[in-house]
Amino acid sequence: MNFAVGYKRLLGDSNTMDNLEKQLICPICLEMFTKPVVILPCQHNLCRKCANDVFQASNPLWLSRGSTTVSSGGRFRCPSCRHEVILDRHGVYGLQRNLLVENIIDIYKQESSRPIHTKSEQQQLMCEEHGEEKINIYCLTCETPTCSMCKVFGAHKDCEVAPLQNVYKRQKTELSDGIAMLVSGNDLIQAMISKLEEICKTIEDKGRQQKQHLCRKFDALCSVLEERKKALLLCITQEQDEKLAHVRALSRQHGDHLEGAAKLVETCIQSMEEQQMAAFLQHAKELITKMTDTAKAKNMERTEPGYENMDHFIISTGDVSDMLRTIDFQQVSQGDDNQEICEAEEEEEVAQQSTEAQVQ
């Protein structure tokens, strides 16, 4: 059902009062502030009763003011700007009263009680079908405001109706309760969001710690492998140096023998040029003996076949490689102590397997 709203001309004083009234409306109950009025740190005002209702809903474990047990306070979020306030053990009762706003309300009520304008100048809601009838009842069947003539002769004559003021108060109370419930629910959701954000931060911290722990473990494995590699390289180097020293010593021996044989040949050739038989025979026997001894030296020490090979330095890393490839996280169901024991046993096993990689 449509209504025609008769807008009347308002004087400047009435506009001022209307604007003032808008500034004196509680954001929770949508009514004018009722004493006492509390002021939040964000400078927004609330009825103390409304603030206490929202605070109690947001902090169900907070003890009432009449309790003999001292509470530790709680959190309160301003419904106007969402600013969060940490209250002390007195709760809402610990907030400062806004005496200035209370005085303004008193002045406003005194001024609004004066007949500033005539009745015809005020805004009225009139019935569209019966232009001279005011909207003064509420049709419960059609859920719409109407006038008395509509109930008696009009479209709502068979409907159930109720006084407009009763329905107005009831629905306004329901709306106020709904606002308080939504504000309380929003605080709970905001608390859940804050908790989820804390969980995200904890996950990031735990993940960073576990990454650092994993890097330390693998660095330890690399250190074990590096130490073992140095030890095995030292074994190869030692045998290499020993064989080189032996072969070089044999090479010097053969060189010395070759040099002596060459000198002996040169001496024998010079002796062959001797024409005097007596002179020749004086040295011939000695030279023949030296030649015989030198010829026997061809059987001097030699290296065995394959002496230069280093193929026996072979290690088997297949099992270790397979084990390293299967490294994975373990599900530990006990405490941190057992976890450290398992990690220590794992490191000991890796070190032992690396030690068993012997030269074949």
Side-chain angles (χ1 to χ4, degrees):
M1 181 176 181
N2 296 325
F3 307 105
V5 180
Y7 289 98
K8 306 299 181 180
R9 183 183 301 275
L10 299 178
L11 298 179
D13 292 342
S14 179
N15 284 332
T16 301
M17 296 297 287
D18 291 340
N19 292 333
L20 179 59
E21 182 179 1
K22 293 179 182 178
Q23 302 301 321
L24 301 176
I25 298 299
C26 175
I28 296 179
C29 64
L30 301 180
E31 295 283 354
M32 187 174 296
F33 290 118
T34 57
K35 292 183 181 180
V37 180
V38 295
I39 182 170
L40 300 176
C42 58
Q43 303 303 313
H44 289 112
N45 299 284
L46 297 172
C47 304
R48 188 162 71 182
K49 179 182 181 303
C50 296
N52 189 58
D53 292 341
V54 174
F55 178 72
Q56 293 287 348
S58 303
N59 301 269
L61 299 180
W62 189 82
L63 299 179
S64 61
R65 193 183 186 190
S67 175
T68 57
T69 304
V70 179
S71 175
S72 60
R75 298 176 180 269
F76 182 86
R77 192 177 297 277
C78 176
S80 298
C81 65
R82 313 303 300 161
H83 177 73
E84 188 175 73
V85 181
I86 305 299
L87 302 181
D88 58 16
R89 63 186 182 88
H90 300 290
V92 174
Y93 292 90
L95 294 173
Q96 185 178 1
R97 290 178 60 178
N98 194 335
L99 299 179
L100 176 60
V101 172
E102 294 181 6
N103 293 334
I104 293 175
I105 293 175
D106 291 337
I107 297 173
Y108 173 82
K109 289 181 178 180
Q110 294 175 4
E111 294 296 326
S112 61
S113 63
R114 298 177 183 178
I116 299 176
H117 304 292
T118 62
K119 188 176 181 180
S120 60
E121 291 178 330
Q122 298 180 4
Q123 178 176 324
Q124 299 292 333
L125 203 60
M126 312 300 290
C127 178
E128 188 179 42
E129 296 182 7
H130 308 91
E132 299 299 327
E133 294 292 330
K134 299 177 184 178
I135 303 299
N136 56 1
I137 61 175
Y138 186 85
C139 178
L140 299 177
T141 304
C142 301
E143 297 183 346
T144 182
T146 185
C147 70
S148 300
M149 296 299 293
C150 289
K151 170 58 180 173
V152 178
F153 305 105
H156 300 279
K157 61 182 180 179
D158 298 327
C159 298
E160 182 181 358
V161 297
L164 189 65
Q165 185 177 5
N166 295 344
V167 179
Y168 165 78
K169 292 181 178 180
R170 184 178 69 251
Q171 292 192 2
K172 198 164 189 179
T173 301
E174 293 177 357
L175 183 60
S176 177
D177 294 341
I179 292 173
M181 182 178 64
L182 287 178
V183 171
S184 175
N186 291 341
D187 290 339
L188 294 177
I189 294 175
Q190 184 63 40
M192 179 57 67
I193 292 175
S194 300
K195 184 173 182 61
L196 293 175
E197 291 176 351
E198 292 177 359
I199 293 176
C200 290
K201 184 178 182 301
T202 302
I203 291 174
E204 292 177 351
D205 294 339
K206 294 295 184 181
R208 182 169 55 254
Q209 294 175 3
Q210 291 302 321
K211 288 179 181 178
Q212 294 174 353
H213 180 72
L214 182 64
C215 290
R216 288 195 298 269
K217 292 298 181 182
F218 273 85
D219 290 343
L221 290 177
C222 293
S223 177
V224 172
L225 292 175
E226 187 66 26
E227 291 177 0
R228 191 56 191 162
K229 183 181 73 172
K230 291 180 180 179
L232 295 178
L233 287 175
L234 181 61
C235 292
I236 297 175
T237 302
Q238 289 176 348
E239 182 162 337
Q240 172 187 321
D241 294 341
E242 291 176 0
K243 287 188 173 182
L244 286 175
H246 179 64
V247 172
R248 284 169 181 167
L250 291 179
S251 177
R252 286 193 298 271
Q253 292 178 8
H254 285 277
D256 294 342
H257 176 76
L258 179 62
E259 182 179 357
K263 290 181 179 180
L264 180 60
V265 170
E266 182 179 355
T267 302
C268 291
I269 293 174
Q270 292 176 357
S271 178
M272 290 290 293
E273 294 176 354
E274 178 63 47
Q275 298 297 326
Q276 294 293 328
M277 290 185 294
F280 173 78
L281 291 175
Q282 285 180 351
H283 302 286
K285 185 63 176 179
E286 180 181 358
L287 292 176
I288 292 173
T289 302
K290 289 183 178 180
M291 290 182 61
T292 302
D293 294 339
T294 302
K296 292 179 180 180
K298 65 180 181 180
N299 296 324
M300 61 187 306
E301 182 181 358
R302 300 179 183 181
T303 59
E304 298 177 357
Y307 181 79
E308 67 277 7
N309 291 337
M310 306 283 284
D311 297 341
H312 54 283
F313 288 106
I314 299 175
I315 62 173
S316 176
T317 60
D319 295 340
V320 178
S321 298
D322 293 339
M323 186 199 67
L324 293 176
R325 292 189 185 96
T326 58
I327 291 179
D328 203 347
F329 300 106
Q330 296 181 354
Q331 299 296 330
V332 180
S333 58
Q334 298 179 358
D336 295 337
D337 294 339
N338 292 337
Q339 182 178 2
E340 293 295 330
I341 293 175
C342 292
E343 292 172 350
E345 292 177 352
E346 179 183 350
E347 293 178 357
E348 182 179 357
E349 182 180 358
V350 173
Q352 182 177 1
Q353 291 183 359
S354 298
T355 305
E356 291 175 353
Q358 299 297 332
V359 177
Q360 294 182 353

